[in-house]
């Protein structure tokens, strides 16, 4: 099927990428994911590539699509504020990307097919950053990277060992509610404060 060929192409490119610059170039020139046709920009990453803290969100929204930067809209500001309370800043000690690199139309959730096509790039991305800790932001990132069936409410309670074919050893991984969800459900901000404190201890 067409899906498999796109996934295969992504895998072959991911296998070849030995630097972040190469990976970015492969992703920006990749035509296998239909989302790209409707997007203004490829949203690759932001932050410090030498950081030991890697954050992975879901997908670009409209502001991200305009600027080509992950988490630069309203929910990104909230995420920055949340992280700063525990000493994490993207310009300094964090690096941030998403499970897909192009904005889904009308900000819908990316489909499993779209996530799977981008996954080889995401896996190589993680391996090139070599983080000490991965923080998965929101349900889509948490379920797709950990392969878990339970949702973010359960997943965020625990820590995991994330591994993929490009990593020589597992990376300690945890999850946070997506800031877009917290903007809709401000009552959950309190639980997220405790999640952040847990992450601070892990650091």
């Amino acid at each position: 099927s067409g899906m498999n060929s796109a996934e295969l192409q992504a895998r072959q490119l991911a296998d070849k990428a030995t630097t972040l610059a190469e990976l970015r170039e492969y992703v920006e020139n990749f035509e296998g994911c239909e989302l790209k046709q409707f997007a203004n920009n490829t949203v690759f990453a932001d932050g410090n590539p030498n950081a030991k803290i890697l954050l992975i969100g879901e997908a670009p929204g409209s502001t991200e699509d305009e600027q080509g930067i992950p988490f630069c809209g309203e929910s990104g500001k909230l995420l920055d504020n949340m992280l700063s309370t525990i000493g994490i800043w993207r310009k300094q000690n964090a690096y941030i990307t998403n499970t897909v690199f192009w904005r889904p139309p009308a900000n819908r959730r990316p489909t499993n097919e779209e996530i799977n096509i981008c996954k080889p790039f995401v896996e190589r991305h993680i391996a090139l950053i070599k983080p000490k800790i991965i923080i998965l932001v929101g349900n889509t990132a948490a379920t797709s990277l950990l392969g878990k069936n339970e949702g973010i409410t359960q997943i965020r309670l625990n820590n995991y060992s994330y591994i993929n074919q490009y990593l020589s050893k597992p990376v300690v991984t945890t999850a946070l509610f997506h800031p877009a969800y917290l903007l809709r459900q401000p009552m959950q901000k309190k639980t997220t404060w405790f999640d952040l404190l847990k992450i601070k201890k892990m650091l």
Side-chain angles (χ1 to χ4, degrees):
S1 74
M3 175 185 113
N4 292 345
S5 69
E7 272 180 57
L8 192 64
Q9 190 197 356
R11 178 61 69 194
Q12 288 166 341
L13 290 167
D15 287 349
K16 277 196 334 194
T18 55
T19 66
L20 275 178
E22 279 178 17
L23 183 68
R24 182 190 279 263
E25 194 184 328
Y26 290 149
V27 170
E28 286 175 349
N29 294 314
F30 183 70
E31 301 296 335
C33 184
E34 286 175 2
L35 288 176
K36 190 181 182 184
Q37 298 168 22
F38 311 104
N40 293 305
N41 276 299
T42 297
V43 180
F44 185 71
D46 192 28
N48 179 355
N50 300 310
K52 294 298 158 214
I53 303 162
L54 171 62
L55 293 117
I56 305 176
E58 175 173 324
S62 57
T63 321
E64 290 78 14
D65 182 51
E66 281 161 27
Q67 298 184 24
I69 300 166
F71 283 102
C72 65
E74 194 185 357
S75 67
K77 287 188 184 70
L78 176 56
L79 182 65
D80 285 345
N81 290 341
M82 283 161 47
L83 295 172
S84 70
T85 63
I86 57 166
I88 301 175
W89 296 275
R90 62 171 96 184
K91 289 288 167 261
Q92 205 170 322
N93 58 354
Y95 183 88
I96 192 160
T97 185
N98 283 312
T99 57
V100 301
F101 301 95
W102 301 278
R103 181 196 177 196
N107 291 359
R108 64 161 170 75
R109 185 190 174 278
T111 64
N112 289 342
E113 181 182 346
E114 289 156 359
I115 290 166
N116 287 336
I117 288 170
C118 292
K119 192 173 270 181
F121 295 129
V122 174
E123 290 179 348
R124 179 57 100 181
H125 211 166
I126 294 167
L128 288 169
I129 294 297
K130 296 198 261 307
K132 290 265 191 300
I133 178 173
I134 298 170
I135 303 169
L136 301 172
V137 184
N139 199 59
T140 300
T143 51
S144 67
L145 279 158
L146 294 170
K148 298 266 173 227
N149 292 323
E150 66 261 46
I152 186 78
T153 308
Q154 283 304 115
I155 291 174
R156 50 171 266 280
L157 299 173
N158 300 301
N159 298 336
Y160 304 88
S161 287
Y162 171 81
I163 190 78
N164 70 45
Q165 66 189 69
Y166 304 119
L167 286 165
S168 52
K169 57 178 197 289
V171 183
V172 179
T173 302
T174 188
L176 283 173
F177 282 125
H178 199 284
Y181 169 76
L182 296 176
L183 289 168
R184 296 191 303 271
Q185 303 284 340
M187 294 302 287
Q188 293 287 9
K189 284 185 181 175
K190 195 175 180 180
T191 32
T192 297
W193 173 237
F194 292 105
D195 293 347
L196 288 163
L197 293 176
K198 183 191 78 174
I199 291 169
K200 190 179 184 181
K201 282 201 185 82
M202 291 165 69
L203 302 172

